[in-house]
Amino acid sequence: MEAKNVQREAWAVLLILFLAGAVVYAHATTTTEEYSRYNPGWNGTSNLPAEEIRDLADLDPSTILLILAPDRPFSPDEVGSLRAFLDAGGRLLIADEEGNANPLLADLGSSMRVRPGNLSSLNRDHVNPGLFTVSVVGNDTLFAGVETARVNRPAAVEGGEPLLETSPFTWDDADGDGRISGSEAFGTAVVCAREGNLTVLGDASLFVNAMFAENPKFIENLQPIRVDGIHSRTGTKSPIINTLVWIRTTPPAGAAIVALGVLPVAWIFGRKRDE
């Protein structure tokens, strides 16, 4: 009878530890960092159906590679790998609204550039003038079956063949007051363009969780897609999350952690049984 009670206590303790660990894990593995795949909020990419790639030297040319909001430079070897990928027929999509991709575009020999700004438009159905509709103007498989797209404060893209263009009632809201004023003027702007297999989109926010419902066909057209996990902002700066990811992707480390959690409990209740 006493042995059965000890067993029940052991299972109860293990269950409590499991539940507590699950709560801690769920809390520790989420973040509010913009574009992070560990961010389940509106500005995260936790729902983006894409596999992360961390080795640019081994890319599959039958897929689309997405570089999302890049925030670190590319080495000469990485540029060479991207050139080889493009030459082999791979499709490279760079989504950037801050201009960080411009050095890479130059290294790839592209004439396209991202021009950061604060594009706003009267062609909207929201109070926010930065959230508006643009038209598909080019013939491209990325926008097959799509006539318009919803963007969120995109940057203009210069050069290349236009694919997405704003209405004439668009302006660069330099002072951020939500209306056209001062030296600001209406005009059209290209927010997505291409040169061969290289496409530049001036709006990284199209890939965040909150925008999926706005452009479902576009996301569908991208499949199968891979994300560059080295330079894109889809990762995290959280040392806890990065450590947990390392443990999860390193089987010996995961087994050691499980052992550290289970063995002490087994030892304690083993002593109780012996007594």
Side-chain angles (χ1 to χ4, degrees), residues 94-229:
I94 302 175
D96 172 40
E97 54 202 54
E98 299 177 3
N100 294 332
N102 288 340
L104 172 62
L105 292 171
D107 289 340
L108 291 174
S110 172
S111 66
M112 294 184 290
R113 297 291 184 272
V114 176
R115 191 184 73 214
N118 186 24
L119 289 181
S120 300
S121 178
L122 298 181
N123 191 29
R124 67 185 193 270
D125 50 14
H126 291 263
V127 175
N128 181 0
L131 185 64
F132 58 91
T133 301
V134 295
S135 300
V136 176
V137 295
N139 184 18
D140 192 283
T141 55
L142 294 184
F143 299 102
V146 180
E147 295 182 356
T148 62
R150 188 70 55 78
V151 294
N152 183 23
R153 296 196 181 280
V157 177
E158 299 175 336
E161 173 193 348
L163 297 180
L164 291 179
E165 189 175 77
T166 71
S167 78
F169 302 107
T170 302
W171 75 100
D172 188 354
D173 189 14
D175 57 13
D177 64 355
R179 61 180 185 274
I180 189 165
S181 58
S183 60
E184 300 166 354
F186 284 127
T188 60
V190 174
V191 297
C192 184
R194 66 173 290 184
E195 286 179 348
N197 294 338
L198 174 61
T199 303
V200 178
L201 173 64
D203 187 2
S205 69
L206 259 68
F207 302 95
V208 301
N209 298 329
M211 293 293 285
F212 280 1
E214 304 288 351
N215 303 289
K217 184 61 177 174
F218 169 66
I219 298 297
E220 180 184 331
N221 289 343
L222 295 175
Q223 303 307 316
I225 187 171
R226 307 290 184 265
V227 178
D228 167 23

Side-chain angles (χ1 to χ4, degrees), residues 6-68:
V6 170
Q7 263 189 339
R8 289 195 193 97
E9 289 180 17
W11 281 111
V13 170
L14 286 173
L15 179 60
I16 292 171
L17 287 175
F18 175 79
L19 293 175
V23 171
V24 172
Y25 182 83
H27 177 73
T29 54
T30 58
T31 179
T32 58
E33 294 168 277
E34 190 173 29
Y35 304 119
S36 174
R37 66 186 182 280
Y38 303 105
N39 178 0
W42 72 270
N43 62 341
T45 57
S46 60
N47 296 327
L48 179 63
E51 177 188 344
E52 184 183 70
I53 296 295
R54 303 192 68 82
D55 184 5
L56 297 183
D58 186 25
L59 297 173
D60 181 358
S62 67
T63 62
I64 297 174
L65 177 65
L66 170 64
I67 299 176
L68 178 59

